[in-house]
Amino acid sequence: MTEKFRILGGETLKGEVSVGGAKNSVLKLIAATILVKGATKIYNVPHLTDVDIMLNVISDLGAHCTYDREEQSVIIDAHNISSITAKYELVSKMRASFIILGALMSRCKEAIVALPGGCAIGERRVDFHIKGLEALGAKIKIENGYVHAKASKLVGTDIYLDIPSVGATENLMLASVTAEGSTRIQNAAQEPEIVDLANFLNTLGADIVGAGTSEIIINGVKLDSLHPAEYTTIPDRIEAGTFMAAIVATKGKAIIKNVYPAHLTFFNDKLIKMGASIKLVEPTTIEVSCRNRFNSLNFVTQPYPGFPTDLQAIAMTLLTTSNGVGIITESLYENRFMQVPDLRRMGADIHQDRNHAIVKGVKNLTGATVAASDLRAGAALVIAGLMANGETIVEKLHHIDRGYEDFEYKLANLGAKIKRFDDVSFNGNSADTASSIINIKGGV
Ligand code: EPU
């Protein structure tokens, strides 16, 4: 069964939407729970395919996980870690599961973790993770597609990252929690998810300072001094940015709850320059609106606090109908313009040259059948469908389900005409047009 979205464009979004817990944070928090010999509870855990995969990874190591969808919480009892192997079958489904390497090294001083390989958006190497672990004293062998890391003890040291890699910072932070002495990570990533992981680890008894700056110091503590705790994940800044863009894209006006505006400063600034209005209603609630055709602008994706690469495809979609020409430079990934051919099929005027894209605003996009090539490109095509005249079918929803919980319901609550269907239900209504199918099923 292949599921698709059918979207009827042209609706103005209004109302209220609430953002869930940060996917890119919660995945690392789940991995970090294996440092504790006891039951840890995490709140604000969205129900996503990627979360399921990470829970499977740690269950496979011996942890016991209970997810409560209604409460959006998970209890993880990692008293018994009986395996040190993260299998290819699981790691290949989600490269973020490579984070288990650092967690296992902290807990067991040995780990066998499948190498994740490349992915659609780029090469995504893990060399900094490996070099950092070696600097901490681990012996590393790469055999049969697996990294085998082992150490009688890890000893704190200075580690300089060539690029402020999010995953490497997190893996090395996790590995250093129980190392002897202090570890200093220089040119560390500064993303809010790094701060969240450090705060979580400190709640469990770790001693980490400097997270959120380019220099993080992890003072090693004894494994047995770590203890269970309860913790609430930060809101997902990329989901928040996605809804902000969707509201702006449809010239709507709506409230977004459970957002930390400070995590989106750069993106907010660009939206405002495009003509959007963003008002702070409460500390974690904003009102977003846009009335006129957007102004074009240029931007370069950069590590936090720069323009987030995870919102690049979504911002490109807005530029497709802007007033003028905008130039986008993608500086983090080699291949993150996968949305371009589909946006062109919807009428966008985009010229791509390596990691630069020149987007010339057109008056309207028109609906077409398109396919998500990765999570954020998929979300961008959904927004394009909301902007377009007529019907858009977005295929390959499994990419979108990795990172957006109840995406279509949240959009539908804002007034979007969007419906998930599978080939079976589509064939059952094969003579219907999109709009009639949406009406037959009672609207969305
Ligand atoms: N890099 C290396 N060597 C390394 C590590 C990274 O060359 O050892 C390169 C990568 O190839 C990439 C760049 O450094 O070109 C940045 O990679 P980084 O390690 O910072 O990214 P990541 O940890 O793999 C996380 C998010 C991504 C997000 C990036 C950048 C998670 C699970 N993923 O990936 O999120 O794009 O940081 O902000 O946290 C998404 O949610 O759609 C997504 C892709």
Side-chain angles (χ1 to χ4, degrees):
M1 188 172 76
T2 50
E3 293 187 319
K4 303 170 186 182
F5 282 148
R6 178 179 289 110
I7 301 165
L8 207 58
E11 298 297 322
T12 297
L13 299 195
K14 47 188 178 298
E16 203 174 280
V17 65
S18 189
V19 170
K23 167 187 83 88
N24 287 347
S25 192
V26 84
L27 297 175
K28 325 301 168 57
L29 304 190
I30 292 172
T33 61
I34 72 157
L35 267 66
V36 172
K37 294 176 184 166
T40 297
K41 185 165 185 179
I42 310 173
Y43 293 96
N44 210 19
V45 179
H47 186 244
L48 301 168
T49 324
D50 278 10
V51 168
D52 283 349
I53 296 171
M54 190 54 99
L55 292 174
N56 280 332
V57 168
I58 62 162
S59 299
D60 211 42
L61 302 177
H64 186 75
C65 308
T66 315
Y67 181 67
D68 182 336
R69 184 162 187 193
E70 208 177 323
E71 196 184 54
Q72 296 261 296
S73 69
V74 65
I75 298 175
I76 298 163
D77 186 344
H79 207 272
N80 175 34
I81 292 298
S82 49
S83 163
I84 52 155
T85 304
K87 295 183 197 126
Y88 178 70
E89 297 86 276
L90 288 169
V91 179
S92 62
K93 281 191 189 151
M94 181 186 68
R95 50 178 305 110
S97 40
F98 194 65
I99 199 71
I100 206 66
L101 178 61
L104 276 169
M105 287 307 286
S106 230
R107 170 80 188 249
C108 310
K109 302 287 175 285
E110 185 171 5
I112 303 175
V113 178
L115 276 164
C119 90
I121 61 176
E123 207 181 332
R124 303 190 76 181
R125 298 177 62 192
V126 289
D127 49 333
F128 307 149
H129 306 231
I130 307 278
K131 280 185 201 145
L133 277 179
E134 282 175 336
L136 289 167
K139 295 270 171 283
I140 307 237
K141 278 197 239 162
I142 297 182
E143 281 174 345
N144 309 113
Y146 281 77
V147 177
H148 187 169
K150 196 171 177 180
S152 52
K153 60 178 183 181
L154 294 173
V155 181
T157 185
D158 280 1
I159 298 169
Y160 180 85
L161 298 177
D162 289 351
I163 299 173
S165 153
V166 173
T169 303
E170 292 166 334
N171 237 335
L172 298 173
M173 212 156 78
L174 281 165
S176 315
V177 166
T178 62
E180 275 181 17
S182 295
T183 302
R184 184 162 59 149
I185 307 175
Q186 288 173 288
N187 199 27
Q190 301 175 40
E191 271 68 1
E193 293 76 21
I194 304 279
V195 179
D196 208 29
L197 178 60
N199 287 342
F200 178 59
L201 288 167
N202 285 342
T203 308
L204 303 178
D207 181 359
I208 302 172
V209 287
T213 74
S214 61
E215 183 173 292
I216 303 178
I217 295 173
I218 305 108
N219 300 307
V221 297
K222 295 254 179 282
L223 181 67
D224 287 336
S225 70
L226 297 173
H227 50 79
E230 295 196 354
Y231 189 82
T232 302
T233 319
I234 55 168
D236 195 310
R237 63 193 166 101
I238 306 302
E239 187 191 1
T242 304
F243 283 116
M244 289 167 80
I247 295 161
V248 168
T250 62
K251 310 285 188 300
K253 181 175 182 176
I255 297 279
I256 307 181
K257 289 183 155 178
N258 197 26
V259 47
Y260 288 173
H263 291 175
L264 281 154
T265 314
F266 213 97
F267 186 65
N268 289 354
D269 179 63
K270 292 291 178 195
L271 280 189
I272 290 166
K273 288 196 173 110
M274 288 183 84
S277 153
I278 301 168
K279 286 191 200 147
L280 190 65
V281 179
E282 280 174 25
T284 58
T285 303
I286 54 173
E287 185 193 71
V288 181
S289 60
C290 184
R291 292 205 181 284
N292 304 316
R293 192 172 177 196
F294 330 119
N295 307 316
S296 63
L297 52 81
N298 306 331
F299 68 88
V300 182
T301 64
Q302 278 171 339
Y304 190 86
F307 193 99
T309 174
D310 294 341
L311 288 171
Q312 175 263 110
I314 286 158
M316 175 185 280
T317 303
L318 296 183
L319 286 185
T320 59
T321 61
S322 67
N323 203 353
V325 179
I327 302 173
I328 303 175
T329 302
E330 170 56 59
S331 72
L332 271 91
Y333 293 112
E334 303 88 1
N335 194 25
R336 214 178 194 185
F337 285 142
M338 307 251 296
Q339 70 280 6
V340 168
D342 276 327
L343 287 176
R344 280 196 195 122
R345 297 189 60 251
M346 296 178 76
D349 183 347
I350 305 170
H351 174 76
Q352 188 194 331
D353 182 7
R354 286 164 297 168
N355 66 330
H356 303 288
I358 301 167
V359 188
K360 192 170 166 203
V362 295
K363 202 151 177 277
N364 286 311
L365 295 180
T366 52
T369 297
V370 293
S373 50
D374 78 84
L375 168 58
R376 308 303 173 187
L381 293 176
V382 170
I383 293 176
L386 299 175
M387 291 162 70
N389 290 338
E391 174 189 297
T392 295
I393 304 287
V394 181
E395 299 185 337
K396 302 199 176 163
L397 296 194
H398 59 278
H399 289 295
I400 297 175
D401 292 337
R402 290 186 41 214
Y404 293 93
E405 181 178 23
D406 293 339
F407 198 32
E408 71 272 31
Y409 295 111
K410 289 186 178 184
L411 287 170
N413 271 336
L414 289 169
K417 285 219 155 70
I418 176 168
K419 189 101 186 164
R420 185 182 291 251
F421 69 103
D422 55 50
D423 286 334
V424 177
S425 64
F426 179 75
N427 290 335
N429 294 289
S430 55
D432 292 321
T433 63
S435 50
S436 67
I437 290 170
I438 286 169
N439 289 333
I440 286 164
K441 295 196 172 173
V444 280

